[in-house]
Each structure stands twice: as structure tokens, then as C-alpha cells.
Amino acid sequence: MERFYLAALLAVPKLKQNTVRRLLGSMKSAEAVWKAPMKELATFMTENEQTALMNFRNKKAGLPEKIANDVEARGIKVYTEESSEYPSILKEIAQPPMILFCRGTLVSDVQRIAMVGSRKATAYGRHAAEELSAELAASGLTVVSGAARGIDTFSHKGAMKTGRTVAVLGCGIDVTYPPENEELLCEIAENGAVISEYPPGTPPNQGFFPARNRIISGLSMGTVVVEAAEHSGSLITAEMALSEGRDVFAVPGSIYSPMSAGTNRLIQQGAKLVRSGRDVLSEYPAFSAAPEGKTSYAEEGLPQGLSHDEKKIYELLSHDEARTADEIIYALHGSGAANVAFLLLQMELRGLVEEDENHAYTRRIKEA
């Protein structure tokens, strides 16, 4: 039960992790801290922390038992810093989480790379994230991200095509956020790991996400920022990686795109520019890149089997800038206008292009 008393202590609002460590050093166990009279704990805590702990224990005296029951009922694993499954690289950061809840299999000492970016990802960012993560996972690296909308989601999806991925949540391990990623999180748990430092049932909180970011960067040898605006939260993850002496990489973007302002600035400040997975893997000789040939999606050739009209349409499309059927017809100067919608549908069914929520089209990245 010791792990569950620790989880209960860490769930107390306003009770800092450093304070919990001091209390454990004095009282020797989380159970002793949870059950001790407040006067025995007062010298190790601020007045606000004393009040927070007292009120929390009064309201949730049975919380350790509840966490234990929830964990058992849902098949959730619980790791502390003493557990063999706890990643050793995570212990190196300034504030390692004292507890981790896990669905799936967290392999302690594999090599990992973090991939982060904007929730409001462009077509360019989504394609870049999916392709890069697939290439990195195929090399043997485990891709770590935060299961958020946008870049995180596509980083996980790409990694699962060729290897393993880990999702780090800013809520309880059994809470799906964002809601549309429920199926994705189940797939990650089956083929990798979903982890959180928060007890089951903990709802997402804005203050939890910066704390989650330290785990994403802390698990990883380096962090790739795929797409980020000037003040994106992804830049916080990059700063955390730098503060821990880890590598930082960034995918360049258009100087006209506000969604690439943050990544372009990172490159200005010394982050390594990434055009393909090979640029990341060159920093880690133990991992092999894909065979020489295609070095970035910008250099991708035309698919085989395109008709004359399909080829003209495909050449107008890219991975980053979506075009509507009307824009394609205009670019073709009206040539074959009647067939464009039909040809786009046929190409979409063959997996060559994809349509977004605005009914605009981009090239679809190739399956790894």
C-alpha cells in the first residue's frame, strides 16, 4: 500500500513535491506521513501546505485505498523511483516524478526521442510529424509525445506504423483527453505505453501540462519540435530539454507561417535543423537510418500508375499547402474541370491524397 499512500500525498493541492520528499525523509514512509498528527509534520511544511494537507485528509481519508482499488480494477501498473521499470534517464532531471501510473509496457532503458508541436497543426506539420516519427521509430527509437491534438497525435500515429511510442498525459491515466483520442490511446497502450504521474480519475488541468512536458523531455535523449508558434507551449518542452543537457531539433517552416515562427526561432538559436529522420539519427550512431535514397519528403517522386490527368493534379499538390478542387481547376486553367472532383476521389481512395475538414487536398504521406 505504500505506493498508494504516496500517490495520495502527491494529489494534495498546494503540497509541493519537494515537501513530500522532506516528509518522507523524516517519517520514513508515505503511510506514516498520511496518518501522522499535523503537529508532527508542521516543521516540514508551510502554513498553506499544512492547511491543504489537513483539509484534504479530512475530506479524502480513504483515498489511498480508492487508488489501490482503481488500479487493480483497471489493470494499471504503478512505478516509483525504486521500481526496476522506472526509466533511469528520468531520474536525471531536476524534478523526476515520484510515481508513474502506466497502461501498457514501459521499457525502462530503451532509447527515446520526444516529438512535440502545435495543437493547431497545419497540413505541413501533420505530414512532417507522421513521416518523421515513422522513420525514427523504424530505426529503433521509441517516440515520446503528449497525446494532444495536432502534432502529438500524428507523431504517435506515425510511430505506431513502424515501432513503439509512449504517451505522457496531463490527467489521470484512465481519463481520455482530448476525447477524440480514446481509440489512439488504447492502441498506444497495446503497442507501447501510456503514462501519467496523476492518480486515476484526475481530470485535465491547465497547470498539469507544463509539468507533463518535463516528463516528455526527461524520458528522451532529444526533443524534436515539429511546428510551433512564437509562444507555443512546445517551446517550454524544448527549454526543459536544454536545461537538462538534452538535444533539441526543429523542423523549419515557411517564414510567412505563424505556426512555424517558434521552430524557425529555435533554429536561429542553435537547434539542429531537421529535414528528415536522418538528420536526427546522425546524432545517435547506434541507430540506423533508412537506406540512402529518399532523404526528405520534399524530394519524393511521383507515385506509379498515375494517369495523365492525375499526374497534373498530383503535381499541383504538396504535403504542406492544401488546395480545394476549385483552386486546382483554376491552376489547370479550366482544363479537365469536369473530371477534377472525380479524379480527386479516385486518388483519395487509392491513398494518394487526403481531404481535410475544409474540403481541401494535400498529398498523403506514404505508409512506412
Side-chain angles (χ1 to χ4, degrees), residues 69-249:
N69 292 335
D70 288 345
V71 162
E72 183 177 3
R74 293 175 170 83
I76 298 167
K77 301 162 187 171
V78 184
Y79 305 131
T80 66
E81 291 168 285
E82 290 72 39
S83 303
S84 60
E85 296 87 350
Y86 191 102
S88 57
I89 192 173
L90 191 55
K91 297 178 185 179
E92 299 173 5
I93 69 173
Q95 291 285 343
M98 298 180 70
I99 198 164
L100 288 173
F101 296 89
C102 175
R103 291 168 53 201
T105 303
L106 183 63
V107 183
S108 60
D109 288 323
V110 297
Q111 303 300 307
R112 306 177 189 85
I113 194 80
M115 291 186 61
V116 297
S118 174
R119 287 173 170 80
K120 299 178 181 178
T122 65
Y124 167 74
R126 296 194 297 268
H127 285 132
E130 193 167 359
E131 181 166 276
L132 283 171
S133 61
E135 189 174 352
L136 294 173
S139 76
L141 287 169
T142 295
V143 173
V144 182
S145 198
R149 295 183 177 96
I151 297 301
D152 287 14
T153 291
F154 284 86
S155 296
H156 290 305
K157 287 182 176 180
M160 284 194 294
K161 292 178 181 178
T162 59
R164 289 177 55 83
T165 187
V166 173
V168 185
L169 306 186
C171 55
I173 195 74
D174 58 337
V175 176
T176 301
Y177 184 80
E180 64 267 25
N181 276 355
E182 181 175 5
E183 183 177 347
L184 175 67
L185 288 169
C186 289
E187 291 177 5
I188 294 172
E190 289 176 4
N191 301 288
V194 179
I195 64 173
S196 173
E197 63 179 322
Y198 303 107
T202 304
N205 182 293
Q206 188 173 2
F208 293 164
F209 293 102
R212 174 208 56 181
N213 291 347
R214 85 189 193 286
I215 301 176
I216 293 174
S217 64
L219 282 168
S220 310
M221 299 185 297
T223 294
V224 181
V225 185
V226 178
E227 189 174 52
E230 189 68 41
H231 301 292
S232 170
S234 304
L235 302 181
I236 298 174
T237 311
E239 290 171 4
M240 289 177 171
L242 282 173
S243 70
E244 300 294 345
R246 312 288 171 83
D247 299 320
V248 174
F249 306 85

Side-chain angles (χ1 to χ4, degrees), residues 272-291:
K272 181 169 182 178
L273 185 152
V274 173
R275 295 178 67 244
S276 74
R278 299 181 69 86
D279 294 323
V280 176
L281 296 172
S282 65
E283 299 295 317
Y284 309 114
F287 296 90
S288 58

Side-chain angles (χ1 to χ4, degrees), residues 336-352:
N339 292 325
V340 167
F342 174 76
L343 291 172
L344 284 168
L345 175 60
Q346 293 299 308
M347 292 166 73
E348 184 176 13
L349 291 173
R350 284 152 54 197
L352 300 175

